[in-house]
Amino acid sequence: MKQSSSALAVKSFAKVNLYLQILNKRKDNFHNLNTLFCRVDLADTIILKNRQDGLIKIKCINRHVPCDRTNLCWRAAELLKQKYGLSFGLDIDIQKHIPVGAGLGGGSSNAASVFLGLNKYWCLGLSKKQLVTLGAKLGSDVPFFIYNTKFALGSGRGDKIKPLISLDKLKLWLVLIYPNIRVSTPLIYQKFDSFSGLTRFRCDVKILPSELLKCGKGVNPKCLINDLEIVTSTLYPVVNQVKNVLSGMGLEKIMMSGSGSAVFAICNGRKQAQDFKDKLTKKHKSWAVFVSSAV
C-alpha cells in the first residue's frame, strides 16, 4: 500500500431500474426485492487526491450533497482506512451531474467509485468480492456499481448481483426526466409498507432479460414494472404528470426509476431521444431532461 502524489479521476455512472418488484419486509427492516439494473452514461466525476494530515475531506458545490461524515464517499474511504489500518488522508471532490434524490443511484455510485478508485490509488489489491462485501455495508445499490457491468439482476436487498453478460451489446437510448423533486428512499419504502394490496400479477423478472435480448428497444411495455411507482406518484403527483406528458408524445415504454422521482422512456434511438429532450426542455423549464444510453 502506498500514496500517490497525483490526483485520480473516476467516472461515477447513474442507473435506472427496468424492473423493481418488492417481495417482502425483512427482519432487518430492509426489503427483499427483484430488480434489473441498467447502467447509463449520465455520470458524476469523483476526484481523489491524497492529503498529508490523515483527514478525509469532501468537496461538492451541490448544496444537496452533504460534505460531512454522512456522505457515502466519506464513509467508503473511512471504512477502507479502518479495515486496513491506513493513516492516509484524502480529498474527495464530487463533481455532481446526477440529480440528487432521483432514484438514479448517484450516492451509491459515488461510494462505489471511491472503493474502486482507492483500490487502485492506494494499491490495496482487493478483489471484487472483497469490495462488494464492503460496499454492501454502505448501501444496497453499491454492489451493482462495483461490478462495473451494463445490465444485472439484483436480489436480496438488491445487493446480490448477477451480471447479464448476454446483454452487453444491447444499446438502449432513453429520455430521462428529473422533475426537480428530491425523494427520500427510506420514506418511500416506509410508505410502501403502509399501502395494502399492492401485490399484483406481473411479468417475472427472469423473463425480462430474454425479452430484451430478443426485442431490444421493442421490449413489451408490460414487462417494465416498478412496485414503488404507485407510492411515489401518490405522494408526488408530478411523477404521473411526467408520465402523462411522455405518453402524450407517443412513447409507450415509460417508468419511474427506483424510488423516484426520475422518470424515463425507452426511445427508438439517439435522434428520437434528442428530439423529445428538445421539446420537453422548451415546454417544461423546471424539469431537468437528459438523453442517456446504457453503458
Side-chain angles (χ1 to χ4, degrees), residues 125-237:
L126 301 177
S127 67
K128 184 175 291 180
K129 184 178 179 181
Q130 287 174 301
L131 291 171
V132 164
T133 300
L134 290 169
K137 294 178 185 293
L138 298 190
S140 301
D141 287 346
V142 179
F144 166 67
F145 292 107
I146 289 176
Y147 267 87
N148 197 23
T149 188
K150 195 171 180 181
F151 295 95
L153 292 173
S155 60
R157 292 188 289 129
D159 57 330
K160 307 298 181 189
I161 301 299
K162 180 182 179 184
L164 296 171
I165 299 169
S166 61
L167 297 179
D168 275 355
K169 293 183 179 178
L170 175 62
K171 192 76 171 177
L172 287 183
W173 283 98
L174 313 175
V175 60
L176 179 62
I177 295 98
Y178 172 62
N180 271 318
I181 297 291
R182 283 180 293 119
V183 171
S184 161
T185 298
L187 172 67
I188 298 304
Y189 275 94
Q190 180 188 339
K191 294 293 183 183
F192 179 86
D193 294 332
S194 65
F195 276 56
S196 60
L198 290 181
T199 302
R200 63 186 191 278
F201 175 79
R202 77 276 316 284
C203 164
D204 192 291
V205 68
K206 294 177 182 175
I207 295 175
L208 187 51
S210 58
E211 176 75 9
L212 285 166
L213 190 61
K214 184 173 67 176
C215 304
K217 62 190 178 188
V219 61
N220 187 339
K222 292 181 180 178
C223 291
L224 306 175
I225 289 166
N226 185 342
D227 279 351
L228 297 179
E229 203 169 281
I230 189 172
V231 181
T232 307
S233 62
T234 299
L235 293 174
Y236 304 100

Side-chain angles (χ1 to χ4, degrees), residues 1-6 8 48-52 80-81 84-90 117-125:
M1 301 174 191
K2 63 181 181 181
Q3 278 188 292
S4 171
S5 57
S6 57
L8 177 69
L48 307 172
K49 188 173 183 181
N50 281 316
R51 51 187 295 143
Q52 299 303 314
L80 287 175
K81 285 186 63 174
Y84 298 101
L86 306 173
S87 59
F88 302 157
L90 187 71
L118 289 183
N119 193 35
K120 178 179 179 182
Y121 195 52
W122 286 346
C123 303
L124 300 177

